[in-house]
Amino acid sequence: MELSKTYNPAQAEAKWYQYWLEKKYFHSTPDHREPYTVVIPPPNVTGVLHMGHMLNNTIQDVLVRKARMEGKNACWIPGTDHASIATEAKVVNKLREQGIKKSDLTRDEFMKHALEWKEKHGGIILEQLKKLGASCDWDRTHFTLDEEYSQSVLQVFVDLFNKGKIYRGARMVNWDPSALTAVSDEEVIHKEVNSKLFHVRYKVEGTEDSWIIIATTRPETIFGDTAVCVNPNDERYAHLKGKRIIVPLVNRSVPVIFDEYVDPEFGTGCLKVTPANDINDYELGLKHNLEVIDMLNPDGTLNEHGLHYQGKDRFEVRKEMEKELHDKGYLVKTEDHINKVGFSERTNAVIEPRLSLQWFLRMKELSAPALENVMNGKIQFHPDKMKNTYRHWMENVKDWCISRQLWWGHRIPAFYYGEGQNDFVVALSLEEAAKLATEKLGRNINPFELRQDEDALDTWFSSWLWPISVFNCLTQPENEEIKYYYPTNDLVTAPEIMFFWVARMIIAGYEYMGDLPFKNVYFTGIVRDKLGRKMSKSLGNSPDPIKLIEQYGADGVRVGVLISSPAGNDLPFDTSQCEQGRNFANKIWNAFRLVKSWEVQAIGQPEYASKSIAWFDAKMQSTIMEINDLFEKFRISDALMTTYKLVWDDYCSWYLELIKPEYGQPIDQATFDKTIYFFEQLLSLLHPFMPFLTEELWHELQTRAEGDDIIVAPFPKAQGFDPEILKSFEKAEKVITQIRTIRKEKNIANKVKLELMIKAGAQIDSSMDAVLKKICNLSKLDYVNDKIGNAYSFVQDGSEYFIPFTDDIDVEAEIKKMEEELNYTKGFLMSVQKKLSNEKFVGSAPEAVVAAERKKEQDALDKIKILEEKIASLK
RNA sequence: GGGCUCUUAGCUCAGCUGGUUCAGAGCACCUGCCUUACAAGCAGGGGGUCACUGGUUCGAAUCCAGUAGGGCCCACCA
């Protein structure tokens, strides 16, 4: 059958993925082998694959496949995250389109809709990962809202509550008025925005015409003002001591308070205080015992305190108030101002500080072992410098607000028996709660008297248990699986979620397992477009990964995303990289076509072939050492590049060209066998990066016995090798390049045979002569004692090489070329001699270094001598 | 504002504890080639005061200090 000139990925990909699944190669159960475990960073259940996932999961698959080939019991656990805010927002939107308001639904009804949504869209992303070749154990797919998983989340909540780590309290939280929920500090993105600084005058109470001017960016919060604050050292306002101020529009009388918090340099040095709507003002309020007036509804509109603005959104109010304040003579001036505003990561709404009752987790003590064991290297970060960022956060860790005012999530297992702030118990079930309440109150409490907390837990409060709960350790303690697979080995994730997820998993690991959750954390970079912008859906600058796979093949895309993506570095992605990957796949395919085309016969092995085999074997062994070393250091891109060069340059460009029989000629058995063996070794090295192509060729090269598949073939280990062969070959390479250059410059076709005469220098190495003869298409290779006239010549490693003219040449040009080389060598010699004449250098540098310089000097002198003689002879 | 980090070829990056792995790789570029594995290819080639300024040293891309400019994280200046 005629083989296609190019590799056709689509067919191979479908075939082999199915094959691997059928053979259960991805499936893992505990056995006697060393485990190698990776848990996937669970993508949003309703998400679709983007380039970030591609990068992240390709790296994981490379690690997992390599471990599997190394004979480890590789287990890569997939799954999805319920992503409460994001998913609930999607469901709410969808319902709105259908004319259904969330507020019209009961919690159960809403959950039903959400689950339907999840059934419909859930897990698309996992199907997409299969296209990429991800070798996850799909039998172990988890979802953070699954029953058993949920059970473990609630158990942890109850446990931490009982340990006194969880408390409920009124706190200023980041309120998302769009999602109607509190969000954590980490979910708030601060951005600089252009705004206005409004200078508004407030009248001093009891005076006719005495005013103070306050600068604010948020005039609408005037309705919540309960004080005016100045710096006690500010002379300008000393006269306000004991005075009260009338807040404009509302005509509320508020006290003047003095606090060093106020910066006299900013604005007018006079601050309006709205404790309900600003975190700093809140602190001031606590300190100075101020009244708290919240003028905002949860959805960001003004409430009854907003008077005639009631029901209008805060931003609309700001605009209208500018006019009203101006018309009524309160607005002194406005000036442009740049300030930072917090936006919700999920909904992009402007975050409002809001006072509310929330649940918190005390972090300080809990996080101590997590900090310690990263800093002491028990858990390693790649790149290592990420530790610094981690340390900074951990040392300043704040309590974690774990409640969210959402339904799509784990409902907080707190049950209220009264209206008081502390009239509740925490338990795993209603019955248990009733029992506890009965004990607590000393009177009988029935389950139906209890009311469960309406809030759900922050999504990260479930994902922080991921490496533990995928093995059901909390619900089935000490089970075989957790004992076998935990701690997991490597975690591959994005630096953005170092605090959200990585840090908290480490915390949970030490708290619940008494041990680290993973040994290595590999931080990928952010995938950016050509212009350096982050690839995102909203910008529309992210290519569809599935289309890319269709276009370039999964292997091509995998190579494309890995080829220039060192750990921790951003990946500036361009589809041309996938082209490079596809071309590489094609190159390998064609190497296979060549090998496949040979006819094997029982003939003797030529010397050039045995030499080439010896060289390539040494080259491959030394490169395998390098590759394994790079893997150990998690330098995945470099490992790929090193493999790439071994295959393309050394195997295809050098080795195959060397041993290739002339057209139509057969090849000897020994050489053929070795060539196949090398090919198989290379395919094995490539398999983690390019799983489909390698499996395809593995089976094309030979008919295989049952179970002889590359996915479980041993990953090559370096054998010993003779470095001298590598050196000899390197020298030969230089000579070959010289001859090729002559051919090109003199326009001598490759098929024209040439003669080569060598006047050997002291360091001549003739071990590769057969190779030289073969690849340079030489009819003759002889050693001579005297120079050859009428020949092209060059000097390499102290020996002179001559190629007798095949026809007339330009002598002048030859002389000119040699004179140029002579000049360069003389300059080089001078610099070396200068160094050697420096007594301090000779005195203080190590002997080896001085000796090396001396050798350089001698070599240069030799070369100059040869060149001068040559020029003379040509003249 | 604080902390961390970076600056090497047109682009993306290697260069460990200062000296033959010292100025490198891949891509891009230029010049020849449609040579029966591969033009998604082959062969050859050009290209960098290693951000800047000082210092330490016989010797600095490499160590130190400062300057400039990026990036990331944290932070309550209305």
Side-chain angles (χ1 to χ4, degrees):
Chain A
M1 189 190 75
E2 184 74 11
L3 283 170
S4 157
K5 276 181 120 177
T6 51
Y7 168 59
N8 177 3
Q11 212 186 339
E13 286 169 17
K15 177 173 77 181
W16 292 114
Y17 203 85
Q18 192 54 38
Y19 178 85
W20 293 326
L21 285 177
E22 279 163 16
K23 297 267 180 164
K24 298 225 171 276
Y25 283 134
F26 303 162
H27 184 58
S28 166
T29 46
D31 61 20
H32 61 280
R33 290 175 295 168
E34 180 189 341
Y36 174 83
T37 319
V38 171
V39 292
I40 205 169
N44 181 342
V45 66
T46 61
V48 285
L49 207 63
H50 60 241
M51 291 310 294
H53 294 123
M54 293 292 277
L55 173 61
N56 181 270
N57 288 292
T58 301
I59 292 167
Q60 289 175 75
D61 197 44
V62 167
L63 296 173
V64 168
R65 283 181 185 271
K66 177 165 183 277
R68 190 180 289 121
M69 292 174 80
E70 286 169 332
K72 293 176 191 161
N73 188 347
C75 184
W76 182 12
I77 299 178
T80 50
D81 191 298
H82 66 285
S84 57
I85 297 181
T87 309
E88 181 153 328
K90 279 185 194 169
V91 175
V92 168
N93 280 341
K94 178 77 186 166
L95 289 172
R96 193 183 295 140
E97 279 168 28
Q98 296 171 356
I100 305 171
K101 284 205 298 209
K102 182 188 167 191
S103 51
D104 293 342
L105 298 174
T106 66
R107 190 179 189 116
D108 287 345
E109 284 167 346
F110 179 82
M111 286 302 274
K112 227 182 106 197
H113 282 290
L115 279 166
E116 267 172 30
W117 169 274
K118 182 235 160 190
E119 285 311 313
K120 202 168 154 197
H121 302 273
I124 290 177
I125 195 161
L126 299 182
E127 291 307 311
Q128 292 180 311
L129 283 177
K130 294 178 183 172
K131 295 265 192 294
L132 180 66
S135 59
C136 303
D137 184 352
W138 300 107
D139 298 339
R140 293 178 177 273
T141 305
H142 282 78
F143 175 49
T144 51
L145 266 185
D146 280 343
E147 200 172 319
E148 190 158 6
Y149 197 106
S150 301
Q151 189 64 23
S152 70
V153 174
L154 299 182
Q155 250 176 261
V156 163
F157 182 94
V158 172
D159 179 66
L160 288 171
F161 178 82
N162 290 337
K163 285 176 182 160
K165 300 286 187 196
I166 286 179
Y167 61 93
R168 185 166 182 254
R171 283 288 186 287
M172 203 58 136
V173 295
N174 305 298
W175 185 261
D176 181 336
S178 172
L180 298 179
T181 179
V183 294
S184 68
D185 290 344
E186 287 73 31
E187 289 164 310
V188 180
I189 314 223
H190 293 273
K191 289 187 233 174
E192 282 198 343
V193 296
N194 292 312
S195 63
K196 282 180 185 166
L197 197 54
F198 299 88
H199 291 249
V200 181
R201 60 179 192 165
Y202 285 39
K203 196 175 193 176
V204 181
E205 190 178 47
T207 67
E208 265 314 299
D209 199 26
S210 177
W211 304 81
I212 57 163
I213 298 168
I214 283 163
T216 177
T217 54
R218 305 199 55 188
E220 72 277 11
T221 61
I222 277 176
F223 299 112
D225 284 357
T226 55
V228 165
C229 187
V230 294
N231 192 301
N233 304 318
D234 194 334
E235 296 298 326
R236 293 174 296 172
Y237 299 113
H239 65 284
L240 292 177
K241 194 154 284 178
K243 290 276 182 359
R244 293 181 75 85
I245 302 291
I246 305 293
V247 180
L249 304 188
V250 281
N251 292 320
R252 181 185 302 134
S253 164
V254 299
V256 177
I257 59 171
F258 294 84
D259 198 289
E260 307 225 332
Y261 163 73
V262 176
D263 175 4
E265 301 296 316
F266 187 88
T268 58
C270 194
L271 174 74
K272 66 195 242 355
V273 184
T274 56
N277 296 95
D278 185 284
I279 178 73
N280 306 303
D281 292 13
Y282 177 68
E283 301 294 334
L284 279 174
L286 285 181
K287 198 164 154 191
H288 296 272
N289 253 325
L290 298 177
E291 191 186 351
V292 177
I293 300 177
D294 188 355
M295 31 64 71
L296 276 185
N297 287 316
D299 65 356
T301 59
L302 270 62
N303 61 20
E304 68 277 9
H305 293 293
L307 306 178
H308 48 291
Y309 292 111
Q310 183 173 357
K312 288 187 177 170
D313 186 80
R314 58 208 191 284
F315 295 112
E316 196 184 328
V317 174
R318 188 178 303 172
K319 269 190 222 144
E320 292 182 18
M321 277 188 69
E322 179 175 3
K323 187 166 184 301
E324 186 180 355
L325 287 169
H326 177 264
D327 291 348
K328 294 192 171 163
Y330 290 113
L331 189 61
V332 179
K333 65 169 178 179
T334 63
E335 54 189 27
D336 291 333
H337 178 67
I338 295 170
N339 65 340
K340 289 215 169 170
V341 175
F343 290 84
S344 165
E345 188 189 39
R346 296 293 174 192
T347 64
N348 209 32
V350 172
I351 293 295
E352 293 294 334
R354 186 159 189 264
L355 198 59
S356 62
L357 270 178
Q358 303 286 346
W359 294 87
F360 292 88
L361 177 60
R362 283 183 227 282
M363 294 295 274
K364 197 75 201 169
E365 279 175 43
L366 221 46
S367 60
L371 173 59
E372 185 191 329
N373 287 293
V374 168
M375 295 322 291
N376 68 17
K378 235 185 128 183
I379 297 174
Q380 291 197 321
F381 281 9
H382 305 275
D384 188 61
K385 62 185 179 189
M386 291 291 183
K387 280 205 301 204
N388 295 324
T389 310
Y390 178 83
R391 181 181 59 205
H392 189 255
W393 189 78
M394 289 297 258
E395 282 174 350
N396 298 289
V397 69
K398 286 190 257 166
D399 287 356
W400 174 13
C401 173
I402 54 174
S403 47
R404 296 289 182 275
Q405 290 62 52
L406 298 167
W407 284 343
W408 177 246
H410 307 94
R411 191 170 179 178
I412 289 179
F415 299 85
Y416 299 84
Y417 47 77
E419 296 307 314
Q421 210 178 301
N422 293 308
D423 295 348
F424 66 86
V425 290
V426 168
L428 277 174
S429 68
L430 194 55
E431 291 69 32
E432 180 69 19
K435 224 178 93 192
L436 281 178
T438 302
E439 283 168 23
K440 188 171 168 187
L441 296 177
R443 62 180 170 87
N444 200 39
I445 298 289
N446 284 313
F448 59 80
E449 291 174 60
L450 295 172
R451 185 174 42 81
Q452 186 171 357
D453 196 295
E454 289 295 327
D455 289 356
L457 287 162
D458 178 14
T459 304
W460 300 106
F461 193 85
S462 63
S463 25
W464 75 325
L465 303 174
W466 190 245
I468 300 171
S469 290
V470 293
F471 300 111
N472 299 321
C473 175
L474 295 159
T475 43
Q476 302 167 42
E478 297 286 306
N479 71 66
E480 284 309 306
E481 299 228 318
I482 192 86
K483 280 197 257 172
Y484 182 72
Y485 291 113
Y486 193 95
T488 71
N489 295 69
D490 305 329
L491 180 79
V492 180
T493 191
E496 296 110 279
I497 55 175
M498 183 194 283
F499 308 127
F500 281 121
W501 195 46
V502 180
R504 288 167 183 165
M505 275 192 289
I506 300 174
I507 292 171
Y510 282 103
E511 182 68 14
Y512 286 99
M513 300 302 298
D515 203 356
L516 69 188
F518 29 71
K519 294 166 195 132
N520 294 288
V521 183
Y522 180 104
F523 288 103
T524 62
I526 294 166
V527 184
R528 298 182 180 279
D529 68 6
K530 264 195 221 169
L531 301 171
R533 300 173 305 179
K534 184 175 173 173
M535 279 191 179
S536 72
K537 218 193 279 174
S538 53
L539 275 173
N541 58 349
S542 174
D544 176 357
I546 299 303
K547 290 220 175 91
L548 282 180
I549 288 174
E550 283 165 7
Q551 203 176 347
Y552 299 102
D555 293 328
V557 177
R558 290 166 68 111
V559 169
V561 298
L562 285 184
I563 199 81
S564 66
S565 178
N569 275 40
D570 286 357
L571 166 63
F573 182 78
D574 189 77
T575 49
S576 67
Q577 287 157 234
C578 295
E579 232 171 273
Q580 192 184 351
R582 178 201 59 185
N583 294 355
F584 184 41
N586 201 45
K587 182 73 188 175
I588 300 163
W589 175 255
N590 275 294
F592 160 69
R593 282 214 304 146
L594 174 67
V595 171
K596 177 102 176 168
S597 72
W598 289 335
E599 185 201 337
V600 187
Q601 272 186 20
I603 50 174
Q605 184 179 43
E607 194 196 349
Y608 65 77
S610 59
K611 292 282 187 193
S612 301
I613 287 167
W615 161 71
F616 187 76
D617 192 46
K619 181 73 193 181
M620 188 171 74
Q621 299 313 334
S622 78
T623 310
I624 289 171
M625 272 178 73
E626 237 178 277
I627 291 168
N628 277 308
D629 182 55
L630 289 167
F631 266 115
E632 258 171 50
K633 293 174 179 152
F634 283 85
R635 294 177 63 155
I636 314 289
S637 294
D638 290 338
L640 170 59
M641 183 51 75
T642 307
T643 312
Y644 177 95
K645 286 197 280 189
L646 176 67
V647 172
W648 198 313
D649 299 346
D650 297 314
Y651 188 70
C652 294
S653 297
W654 284 108
Y655 176 78
L656 288 180
E657 288 300 329
L658 271 167
I659 58 126
K660 182 159 86 175
E662 278 183 48
Y663 182 65
Q665 297 300 306
I667 192 165
D668 66 280
Q669 188 73 49
T671 304
F672 183 76
D673 290 349
K674 271 291 184 187
T675 304
I676 297 292
Y677 164 75
F678 290 148
F679 208 146
E680 288 176 345
Q681 290 281 294
L682 296 177
L683 290 177
S684 303
L685 287 169
L686 282 166
H687 179 76
F689 301 107
M690 309 177 86
F692 296 109
L693 170 70
T694 50
E695 190 73 86
E696 173 83 5
L697 292 184
W698 184 258
H699 289 270
E700 288 285 348
L701 278 178
Q702 287 188 40
T703 6
R704 304 279 171 180
E706 178 74 19
D708 184 5
D709 300 311
I710 200 168
I711 187 174
V712 288
F715 194 79
K717 282 199 191 101
Q719 322 279 324
F721 64 92
D722 177 6
E724 290 305 315
I725 298 181
L726 296 181
K727 281 188 201 155
S728 298
F729 195 84
E730 260 172 49
K731 284 184 192 165
E733 270 182 22
K734 285 188 211 152
V735 175
I736 293 163
T737 301
Q738 293 265 26
I739 296 173
R740 281 175 174 167
T741 308
I742 287 174
R743 271 192 191 270
K744 176 167 161 134
E745 280 177 358
K746 313 304 173 197
N747 245 325
I748 306 168
N750 287 327
K751 6 181 168 173
V752 176
K753 287 199 182 278
L754 295 175
E755 295 182 355
L756 181 67
M757 311 293 173
I758 305 168
K759 182 168 180 288
Q763 316 161 36
I764 188 72
D765 178 349
S766 60
S767 65
M768 290 293 163
D769 284 357
V771 162
L772 216 61
K773 210 172 159 191
K774 166 74 173 23
I775 203 156
C776 291
N777 195 19
L778 303 176
S779 55
K780 190 164 108 178
L781 187 155
D782 275 341
Y783 285 83
V784 292
N785 293 321
D786 300 310
K787 300 181 175 309
I788 306 282
N790 296 323
Y792 301 112
S793 65
F794 58 88
V795 179
Q796 188 67 55
D797 290 313
S799 297
E800 275 184 273
Y801 295 79
F802 302 93
I803 297 173
F805 299 152
T806 47
D807 45 34
D808 292 339
I809 60 139
D810 185 345
V811 177
E812 283 304 312
E814 283 299 298
I815 291 174
K816 196 173 164 229
K817 232 183 82 189
M818 272 184 252
E819 278 176 341
E820 274 170 17
E821 202 178 347
L822 181 64
N823 273 337
Y824 174 84
T825 311
K826 280 181 172 167
F828 176 76
L829 178 66
M830 265 171 64
S831 77
V832 173
Q833 286 177 332
K834 195 176 156 200
K835 209 171 186 179
L836 283 170
S837 61
N838 180 342
E839 282 172 30
K840 282 182 179 169
F841 170 73
V842 180
S844 21
E847 256 176 64
V849 175
V850 178
E853 290 299 318
R854 290 244 152 81
K855 184 170 180 306
K856 275 191 208 168
E857 182 188 28
Q858 192 52 50
D859 288 352
L861 285 169
D862 289 350
K863 192 167 179 183
I864 288 167
K865 196 173 149 230
I866 293 169
L867 284 168
E868 279 172 348
E869 285 171 8
K870 267 168 67 173
I871 291 165
S873 77
L874 278 172
K875 278 177 174 165

